[in-house]
Amino acid sequence: MTKTIRELANELNVSKQTIQYHYQRLSPKDQQKDTNGRNVINQHTEEIIRNKVTKTLSTKNTTNTDKDNKETKDNSAALILSLEAQIEDLKSERDKQFATKDKQIASKDRQIDSLTKLLDQSQQLQLMAEKKIKELQKIEQPKTEDTVKENTVTEPTNSNNQNETTKAPKKWWQFWN
């Protein structure tokens, strides 16, 4: 059974030019034409062309696969190197941030210690001031009682003046009462 170049190309899923290329490279005894002058392919020629096309396709696929694998490996290696560099950059940046945060925390700890000392000192001063105020109040209370006693004049009571009692003179703030 004879086929045309187009039929064989469709059957092998290749272009018509590919079949034409292989057909022209055959020996003249394998090239045949029909009555209309079209190139036809007999069973023996079809096998020859089919073997060449499949061999070429497998070689191309292997070559393409090898090239793709090599490109993929190269791309993967480049990507891995790029990612490793990014990881190292991120790690160094993280370490810098941690160092900065550690310094800030240490500074805050010193501030807290200083403020705690100041608060303690303030409380001690407040306590001392309260003690002095109490001491002054204790000292002034007896003086006030002594001055009240001194200002109070007591006259000896006579039998004649038993009903009379002497009053202490009023102080200036007592005039408003």
Side-chain angles (χ1 to χ4, degrees):
M1 175 171 175
T2 60
K3 295 181 182 178
T4 63
I5 291 176
R6 181 175 299 218
E7 290 172 349
L8 185 59
N10 289 338
E11 190 176 304
L12 296 175
N13 286 332
V14 294
S15 67
K16 186 174 119 177
Q17 288 83 7
T18 303
I19 301 298
Q20 184 71 36
Y21 172 82
H22 291 293
Y23 181 78
Q24 290 175 353
R25 288 185 176 39
L26 293 173
S27 63
K29 70 174 183 148
D30 290 330
Q31 295 178 1
Q32 297 178 351
K33 294 198 183 270
D34 66 357
T35 55
N36 295 332
R38 289 184 293 176
N39 293 328
V40 289
I41 301 170
N42 63 20
Q43 189 74 23
H44 175 67
T45 308
E46 181 181 342
E47 286 179 28
I48 295 171
I49 292 175
R50 188 179 294 268
N51 287 338
K52 288 183 179 183
V53 168
T54 55
K55 189 177 188 182
T56 305
L57 286 177
S58 67
T59 305
K60 283 185 180 179
N61 287 340
T62 306
T63 306
N64 287 341
T65 305
D66 290 343
K67 286 180 184 177
D68 290 343
N69 287 342
K70 186 177 180 181
E71 289 176 8
T72 304
K73 287 179 183 178
D74 291 344
N75 289 342
S76 296
L79 180 63
I80 289 170
L81 290 175
S82 172
L83 291 174
E84 286 175 347
Q86 287 179 356
I87 289 171
E88 290 302 318
D89 289 344
L90 290 173
K91 283 182 180 179
S92 66
E93 186 176 324
R94 179 199 62 197
D95 292 342
K96 287 178 185 176
Q97 288 178 349
F98 281 157
T100 303
K101 297 299 179 194
D102 289 344
K103 288 178 185 176
Q104 290 174 346
I105 289 171
S107 172
K108 296 298 179 191
D109 287 344
R110 286 190 299 273
Q111 289 175 353
I112 289 170
D113 289 343
S114 174
L115 290 173
T116 304
K117 287 178 185 177
L118 288 173
L119 180 62
D120 187 41
Q121 290 173 354
S122 172
Q123 288 173 344
Q124 289 176 1
L125 287 173
Q126 182 73 25
L127 185 60
M128 289 172 58
E130 288 176 6
K131 283 182 181 179
K132 285 186 179 184
I133 289 172
K134 284 182 182 179
E135 287 176 8
L136 288 174
Q137 286 175 348
K138 286 181 183 179
I139 292 172
E140 289 200 9
Q141 275 182 348
K143 285 184 180 178
T144 310
E145 290 175 2
D146 288 342
T147 54
V148 169
K149 286 181 183 177
E150 289 175 4
N151 290 338
T152 308
V153 178
T154 54
E155 295 179 9
T157 55
N158 293 338
S159 57
N160 296 340
N161 294 335
Q162 287 180 355
N163 293 339
E164 275 184 43
T165 57
T166 58
K167 292 186 178 178
K170 287 189 173 184
K171 300 203 183 213
W172 64 269
W173 63 84
Q174 293 174 341
F175 289 117
W176 284 289
N177 289 338

Coordinates of all heavy atoms in Angstrom, one line a residue, residues 2 4 15 28 53 76 78 87 99 103 106 110-111 114 150 152 169:
T2 N 0.6 2.2 -0.8 CA 1.4 3.4 -0.9 C 0.7 4.5 -0.2 O -0.5 4.6 -0.1 CB 1.6 3.8 -2.4 OG1 0.3 4.0 -3.0 CG2 2.3 2.7 -3.1
T4 N 1.1 9.0 0.7 CA 1.7 10.2 0.3 C 2.6 10.7 1.5 O 2.5 10.2 2.6 CB 0.6 11.3 0.0 OG1 -0.1 11.6 1.2 CG2 -0.3 10.8 -1.1
S15 N 6.2 17.2 10.9 CA 5.8 18.1 9.8 C 6.1 17.4 8.4 O 6.8 16.5 8.3 CB 6.6 19.4 9.9 OG 8.0 19.1 9.6
P28 N 17.6 6.9 -5.4 CA 16.5 7.1 -6.4 C 15.7 5.9 -6.7 O 14.5 6.1 -7.0 CB 17.4 7.4 -7.7 CG 18.7 7.9 -7.2 CD 18.9 7.2 -5.9
V53 N 13.0 8.9 11.2 CA 12.2 10.0 12.0 C 12.2 9.6 13.5 O 12.5 10.5 14.3 CB 10.8 10.1 11.4 CG1 9.9 11.0 12.3 CG2 10.9 10.7 10.0
S76 N 18.8 25.6 38.9 CA 18.6 25.2 40.3 C 19.8 25.6 41.2 O 19.7 26.1 42.3 CB 18.4 23.7 40.4 OG 17.2 23.3 39.8
A78 N 22.0 28.0 40.6 CA 22.0 29.4 40.7 C 21.0 29.9 41.7 O 21.2 30.8 42.6 CB 21.8 30.1 39.4
I87 N 19.6 34.0 52.7 CA 19.5 33.4 54.0 C 20.6 34.0 54.9 O 20.3 34.5 56.1 CB 19.5 31.9 54.0 CG1 18.2 31.3 53.5 CG2 19.8 31.3 55.4 CD1 18.2 29.9 53.2
A99 N 21.2 42.3 68.5 CA 22.3 43.1 69.3 C 21.7 44.4 69.7 O 21.9 44.9 70.8 CB 23.5 43.2 68.4
K103 N 21.1 45.8 73.5 CA 21.6 47.1 74.0 C 20.5 48.0 74.6 O 20.6 48.6 75.7 CB 22.3 47.9 72.9 CG 23.6 47.3 72.5 CD 24.3 48.1 71.4 CE 25.6 47.4 70.9 NZ 26.1 48.1 69.7
A106 N 19.4 46.5 77.9 CA 20.3 46.8 79.0 C 20.2 48.3 79.4 O 20.3 48.6 80.6 CB 21.8 46.5 78.5
R110 N 19.2 49.7 83.2 CA 20.0 50.7 84.0 C 19.1 51.8 84.4 O 19.2 52.3 85.5 CB 21.2 51.2 83.1 CG 22.3 50.2 83.0 CD 23.5 50.9 82.4 NE 23.3 51.4 81.1 CZ 23.5 50.7 79.9 NH1 23.9 49.4 80.0 NH2 23.3 51.3 78.8
Q111 N 18.2 52.2 83.5 CA 17.2 53.3 83.8 C 16.3 52.9 85.0 O 16.0 53.7 85.9 CB 16.4 53.7 82.6 CG 17.2 54.4 81.6 CD 16.3 54.7 80.3 OE1 15.2 54.2 80.2 NE2 16.9 55.5 79.4
S114 N 18.2 52.9 88.2 CA 18.4 54.3 88.7 C 17.2 54.9 89.3 O 17.2 55.5 90.3 CB 18.9 55.2 87.5 OG 19.0 56.5 87.8
E150 N 2.2 79.9 132.3 CA 2.8 81.2 132.8 C 1.9 82.4 132.6 O 1.9 83.3 133.3 CB 4.1 81.4 132.0 CG 5.2 80.5 132.3 CD 6.4 80.7 131.4 OE1 6.4 81.6 130.6 OE2 7.4 79.9 131.6
T152 N -1.3 82.3 132.7 CA -2.4 82.2 133.6 C -2.0 82.7 135.0 O -1.0 82.2 135.6 CB -2.9 80.7 133.7 OG1 -3.1 80.2 132.5 CG2 -4.2 80.7 134.6
P169 N -5.6 86.5 130.8 CA -5.9 87.5 129.7 C -6.0 86.8 128.4 O -5.4 85.8 128.1 CB -4.7 88.4 129.8 CG -3.6 87.7 130.5 CD -4.3 86.7 131.4

